[in-house]
Amino acid sequence: MTTNPPPAPVPLDQLQFALPQKFDSVEEERQHRKERLVVALRLFGKFGFEEGVAGHVTARDPEWTDHFWVNPFAMSFKQIRVSDLILVNHEGQVVQGRHHVNQAAFAIHSQVHAARPDVIAAAHSHSVYGKTLSSLGELLEPITQDVCAFYESHALFDDYTGVVLDQEEGRRIAATLGSHKAVILRNHGLLTVGDSVDAAAWWFITMERSCQVQLTAKAAGKPVAIEHDSAVVTRDQLGNDLVAWINYQPLVAGHADALEGAFE
């Protein structure tokens, strides 16, 4: 009996690995951001993150960088198409599109985008577990590998004065967010940011799930926390926007049914 030699390893440069796209024109990049914004909104709808007219995801325009694209006021996340998106300027005026803007979306997101030039997208919604944890006025604790992405990388906005319609309140939220990827708005919900729509959406989705895990674990008993040094190492491994973008891709592919008609 002859024994064949084992197969040789495939060279690394011949293995497929998706990375964020590069664009030849600002028009291509704008269209891409709008499409990814609609994908995120559709997924948020499918995952049950909408609560009436509450909730908004924004994407900074690649050319007019003090403008952002956002979902229209009072339109279901599940039904939004690219053609429905509106472009809002730094004064809260709609400059493209034919729908109203949610004033809370402008008050919060405009100040976040202004304070963080590195942020391309921001996501906020009144998801069940996020607003539940927010009512406790607590941060996420390092009790699982996944949540370590937020370890010392999220903050608590420890105040509530009603629906955010004032830009000054938005500035306070942006200041609390600081350089972090997320902020828990007490008695309100979650806000996440990223250097792409995909990253901001992934941070929101995994943060919502982390809130669910923390609430469930504490209801069941006393969770064992990951030690500080290990939590920091894990955050450095999992907590950057490229890793978020990579994690988001199979999630989108697995929910293609939610995207029918989205790009019209």
Side-chain angles (χ1 to χ4, degrees), residues 4-10:
N4 295 320
V10 178

Side-chain angles (χ1 to χ4, degrees), residues 101-229:
V101 63
N102 185 326
Q103 287 304 310
F106 173 72
I108 297 173
H109 289 247
S110 64
Q111 300 309 309
V112 169
H113 283 287
R116 290 281 300 276
D118 60 309
V119 163
I120 297 301
H124 166 65
S125 192
H126 298 178
S127 52
V128 172
Y129 296 104
K131 62 185 176 183
T132 302
L133 186 68
S134 80
S135 73
L136 304 177
E138 296 180 0
L139 290 171
L140 286 167
E141 299 175 13
I143 59 174
T144 69
Q145 174 174 293
D146 296 323
V147 77
C148 285
F150 298 97
Y151 186 65
E152 297 182 336
S153 188
H154 73 298
L156 173 67
F157 183 70
D158 197 10
D159 191 14
Y160 182 81
T161 58
V163 178
V164 181
L165 299 175
D166 182 1
Q167 291 185 59
E168 180 55 37
E169 186 86 343
R171 277 189 281 272
R172 292 175 60 218
I173 291 171
T176 301
L177 173 67
S179 61
H180 299 314
K181 63 170 64 70
V183 59
I184 296 173
L185 309 176
R186 201 195 74 203
N187 305 111
H188 189 169
L190 310 177
L191 173 73
T192 60
V193 299
D195 67 1
S196 67
V197 174
D198 292 19
W202 171 256
W203 292 136
F204 190 96
I205 292 166
T206 194
M207 191 177 195
E208 167 71 2
R209 291 172 172 172
S210 293
C211 291
Q212 181 181 5
V213 168
Q214 182 162 312
L215 292 164
T216 304
K218 287 192 169 185
K222 185 178 180 180
V224 178
I226 296 170
E227 294 182 355
H228 168 76
D229 290 347

Side-chain angles (χ1 to χ4, degrees), residues 78-97:
K78 300 183 187 74
Q79 298 176 328
I80 290 174
R81 305 165 298 172
V82 170
S83 57
D84 295 319
L85 295 175
I86 55 177
L87 182 64
V88 180
N89 67 14
H90 65 284
E91 295 179 351
Q93 300 164 324
V94 176
V95 298
Q96 287 191 28

